[in-house]
C-alpha cells in the first residue's frame, strides 16, 4: 500500500489547521461607541490623577530643599537664633518712666498725681537737672553743705533723706527742709539739694525706693529770696551717709 495520505484525509487535516489559525487570529468583538467614550474618559482621569500626584511630589521636594536651605541640614548653615532678635521687654520701658518729676520753675515736685512744694538751689548754687536715680534713703542723715563743692565745713542734720545720683555722677538729696519750713514753694535757698516740708518729705520717703528715677526739669526763678537761716553745725565734715 502507498504511504501517501488519501485526498479525504489531507482535506480534513487542512481544514483543522485553518480553524486553529482562525481561532488564533480571531478579531475581538466590536465595542459600542458609548463604551469607547467611557474608556477614553477613564484614561483621561487617570492621566490627570497621575499628573497631580507628580506635581504634589515635586512641590514637596522643593519644600524640603528650601527648608534645608533656611534651617540647615546635617551639613548646612542655620539661621541666627530668634533670641538674638529679641526686643526690649515691657519692664525695661517701665523702668525709664520717672517715678517723680521736679519742676524747678514752678517749685514743685509731682508724684502719683500729688503736687509737693519745694525749695531748690539758690542762684549761686543751682540744683542740677536731668534724670536722677534714687541710691539710698535715711530717716535721719547729716548732710555736708559742701555737697556741690562750696568748700564750707559745717553740716546740716535732716530727716527723711532720699539720696540721688545725678547725670554728672554726683550726689544730691531730697530732704525735709526743717531749718526753713517757709521756703518750699516760696523761694530757693538750698545749696543745690531739694527741700520739702517735713510732712511731705516723710510721705515721699515712703513711696520712692532705691532704683526709682526722679526727673529734674526747668530752672529756678530769678526772683530774690530772703537769706536762709544759718544751719546748725553738728560736727566735722565727711560724716554724711
Amino acid at each position: 500500500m502507498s504511504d501517501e495520505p488519501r485526498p479525504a484525509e489531507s482535506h480534513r487535516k487542512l481544514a483543522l489547521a485553518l480553524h486553529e489559525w482562525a481561532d488564533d487570529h480571531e478579531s475581538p468583538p466590536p465595542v459600542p461607541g458609548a463604551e469607547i467614550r467611557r474608556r477614553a474618559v477613564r484614561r483621561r482621569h487617570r492621566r490627570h490623577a497621575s499628573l497631580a500626584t507628580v506635581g504634589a511630589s515635586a512641590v514637596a521636594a522643593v519644600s524640603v530643599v528650601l527648608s534645608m536651605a533656611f534651617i540647615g541640614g546635617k551639613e548646612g548653615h542655620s539661621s541666627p537664633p530668634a533670641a538674638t532678635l529679641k526686643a526690649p521687654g515691657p519692664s525695661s520701658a517701665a523702668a525709664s518712666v520717672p517715678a517723680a518729676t521736679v519742676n524747678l520753675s514752678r517749685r514743685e515736685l509731682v508724684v502719683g498725681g500729688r503736687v509737693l512744694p519745694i525749695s531748690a538751689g539758690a542762684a549761686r548754687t543751682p540744683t542740677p537737672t536731668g534724670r536722677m536715680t534714687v541710691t539710698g534713703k535715711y530717716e535721719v542723715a547729716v548732710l555736708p553743705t559742701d555737697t556741690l563743692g562750696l568748700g564750707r565745713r559745717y553740716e546740716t542734720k535732716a530727716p527723711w533723706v532720699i539720696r540721688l545720683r545725678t547725670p554728672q555722677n554726683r550726689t544730691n538729696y531730697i530732704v525735709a527742709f526743717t531749718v526753713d519750713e517757709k521756703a518750699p514753694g516760696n523761694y530757693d535757698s538750698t545749696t543745690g539739694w531739694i527741700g520739702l516740708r517735713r510732712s511731705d518729705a516723710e510721705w515721699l520717703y515712703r513711696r520712692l525706693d532705691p532704683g526709682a528715677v526722679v526727673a529734674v526739669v526747668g530752672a529756678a526763678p530769678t526772683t530774690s529770696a530772703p537769706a536762709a537761716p544759718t544751719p546748725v553745725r553738728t560736727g566735722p565734715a565727711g560724716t554724711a551717709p
Side-chain angles (χ1 to χ4, degrees), residues 85-96:
L85 303 177
K86 184 178 180 180
S91 59
S92 60
S96 64

Side-chain angles (χ1 to χ4, degrees), residues 101-107 126-130 215-221:
T101 300
V102 175
N103 191 315
L104 300 178
S105 303
R106 297 181 179 179
R107 293 195 182 102
T127 298
T129 58
V216 181
V217 300

Side-chain angles (χ1 to χ4, degrees), residues 61-80:
V62 171
S63 299
V64 171
V65 171
L66 292 177
S67 299
M68 294 294 289
F70 281 110
I71 66 174
K74 183 177 180 181
E75 298 179 355
H77 299 284
S78 61
S79 59

Side-chain angles (χ1 to χ4, degrees), residues 64-160:
V64 171
V65 171
L66 292 177
S67 299
M68 294 294 289
F70 281 110
I71 66 174
K74 183 177 180 181
E75 298 179 355
H77 299 284
S78 61
S79 59
T84 59
L85 303 177
K86 184 178 180 180
S91 59
S92 60
S96 64
V97 177
T101 300
V102 175
N103 191 315
L104 300 178
S105 303
R106 297 181 179 179
R107 293 195 182 102
E108 63 184 25
L109 185 153
V110 181
V111 56
R114 181 170 174 175
V115 179
L116 310 178
I118 68 164
S119 178
R124 60 177 182 172
T125 56
T127 298
T129 58
R131 298 169 69 86
M132 305 183 187
T133 304
V134 176
T135 58
K137 36 186 220 174
Y138 312 90
E139 291 188 10
V140 178
V142 177
L143 305 180
T145 56
D146 61 352
T147 298
L148 296 182
L150 299 179
R152 297 177 183 177
R153 294 302 178 186
Y154 56 82
E155 299 170 337
T156 300
K157 190 174 183 179
W160 310 119

Side-chain angles (χ1 to χ4, degrees), residues 131-215:
R131 298 169 69 86
M132 305 183 187
T133 304
V134 176
T135 58
K137 36 186 220 174
Y138 312 90
E139 291 188 10
V140 178
V142 177
L143 305 180
T145 56
D146 61 352
T147 298
L148 296 182
L150 299 179
R152 297 177 183 177
R153 294 302 178 186
Y154 56 82
E155 299 170 337
T156 300
K157 190 174 183 179
W160 310 119
V161 175
I162 298 174
R163 187 177 65 196
L164 304 174
R165 177 64 61 182
T166 72
Q168 297 78 24
N169 201 32
R170 304 189 66 174
T171 300
N172 203 6
Y173 301 93
I174 300 175
V175 305
F177 199 8
T178 55
V179 296
D180 189 1
E181 287 279 355
K182 296 180 181 180
N186 297 313
Y187 51 86
D188 301 304
S189 59
T190 78
T191 55
W193 38 270
I194 299 163
L196 298 171
R197 292 180 300 202
R198 187 184 186 99
S199 59
D200 290 341
E202 181 180 358
W203 182 87
L204 184 66
Y205 176 91
R206 302 189 187 285
R207 282 159 180 75
L208 289 186
D209 293 321
V213 175
V214 177

